[in-house]
Amino acid sequence: MDAPGLPADEVADAYRVLQRVNRQFFGSLSSLRRELRRFVEDDQAGRATVSLLDLGSGSGDLPADARSTLRALGISPLTLALDHDPTATAMAARFDLPSLQGDALRLPFADRSIDLVTAVKFAHHFHGDPLVRLLGEMTRVARRRVLILDLQRHWLAYLGFIAWSRVFTRNRLVQHDGPLSVLRGFTREELNTLAAPISQFSWTVSTYPGFQLALVGRRME
């Protein structure tokens, strides 16, 4: 789906399939909701408003659900979606989300300008120095917390997604990219190593059902 020149209608269909995946197979929605509840519970100041920036937001279903979750928790959210793909940003706009087409490695935001910066199943698209830069940009912009929610690299997840995609979708992009995404996933040790040099944040790695890992950074200053 990252390759240039793909048919827009096929890409849009892939995003719709991934919305089902988020709800069902790897459960990104339920994991994100849990992290948002923890974020609100940890807020000793009891803020009534929260700004959230979601990177690699795809069709916008995840930041839209995050907005609904925060509202249900009594928070007035300002939720922003950012993706480099114009098909994605157009789809996200249908959720009435402020949607920006941009580069996650060069975020157009000031330091500490967003309360919570998230990247859900997005970080595995990077490795090496670009991955370090991605987390660096997230921590630069985040006023309070960063969250990377991504796939745990495991052979069961790999085989499971292949089986699911053969049964529940004919979209060739999902059938190709889904298993590849699992192979590009992380281990707990890799996420801890990635975050360790950024000392302004306190870091934890949590495991969620569906072979998911959550790297959470809480600003200590």
Side-chain angles (χ1 to χ4, degrees), residues 6-134:
L6 293 172
D9 57 345
E10 189 173 23
V11 173
D13 179 66
Y15 282 128
R16 287 189 287 270
V17 173
L18 292 178
Q19 290 179 7
R20 299 208 318 266
V21 173
N22 288 334
R23 293 193 302 268
Q24 302 170 357
F25 189 63
F26 282 121
S28 292
L29 286 179
S30 61
S31 303
L32 178 59
R33 290 166 184 165
R34 186 174 299 183
E35 287 296 337
L36 290 172
R37 288 194 292 270
R38 288 178 176 172
F39 172 69
V40 172
E41 290 168 359
D42 290 347
D43 183 17
Q44 298 180 0
R47 295 171 178 82
T49 61
V50 164
S51 55
L52 183 151
L53 169 65
D54 183 58
L55 306 182
S57 54
S59 63
D61 59 315
L62 292 171
D65 191 86
R67 178 179 59 189
S68 298
T69 298
L70 289 170
R71 285 174 175 168
L73 294 170
I75 302 297
S76 177
L78 170 61
T79 309
L80 307 173
L82 183 141
D83 202 292
H84 76 285
D85 178 17
T87 301
T89 55
M91 293 182 73
R94 297 173 189 171
F95 286 100
D96 293 325
L97 286 169
S99 183
L100 308 175
Q101 186 178 353
D103 185 354
L105 303 185
R106 297 178 180 85
L107 294 176
F109 300 98
D111 296 356
R112 302 193 187 191
S113 57
I114 306 291
D115 291 312
L116 172 61
V117 182
T118 63
V120 183
K121 291 183 185 169
F122 177 60
H124 68 259
H125 292 280
F126 303 86
H127 66 276
D129 183 64
L131 179 59
V132 173
R133 289 168 56 196
L134 173 68

Side-chain angles (χ1 to χ4, degrees), residues 104-105 130-140 146 148 191 194-198 203 215:
L105 303 185
L131 179 59
V132 173
R133 289 168 56 196
L134 173 68
L135 185 58
E137 277 293 272
M138 294 178 71
T139 53
R140 178 186 68 80
V146 300
I148 289 180
L191 290 178
L194 172 66
I198 305 177
W203 297 99
L215 173 65

Side-chain angles (χ1 to χ4, degrees), residues 182-213:
V182 177
L183 294 179
R184 291 175 173 172
F186 301 97
T187 66
R188 294 177 64 96
E189 293 74 18
E190 288 168 346
L191 290 178
N192 278 317
T193 299
L194 172 66
I198 305 177
S199 59
Q200 302 96 327
F201 285 73
S202 171
W203 297 99
T204 59
V205 177
S206 301
T207 303
Y208 281 111
F211 298 99
Q212 297 178 92
L213 293 173

Side-chain angles (χ1 to χ4, degrees), residues 1-4 6 10-11 14-15 18 21 26 84-85 121 124-125 150-151 157-158 161-162 165-166 169 171-185:
M1 289 174 63
D2 294 329
L6 293 172
E10 189 173 23
V11 173
Y15 282 128
L18 292 178
V21 173
F26 282 121
H84 76 285
D85 178 17
K121 291 183 185 169
H124 68 259
H125 292 280
D150 219 299
L151 299 169
Y158 175 75
F161 194 93
I162 290 176
S165 65
R166 294 300 183 267
T169 181
N171 188 286
R172 65 186 180 99
L173 301 180
V174 174
Q175 289 180 344
H176 176 269
D177 286 6
L180 184 59
S181 293
V182 177
L183 294 179
R184 291 175 173 172

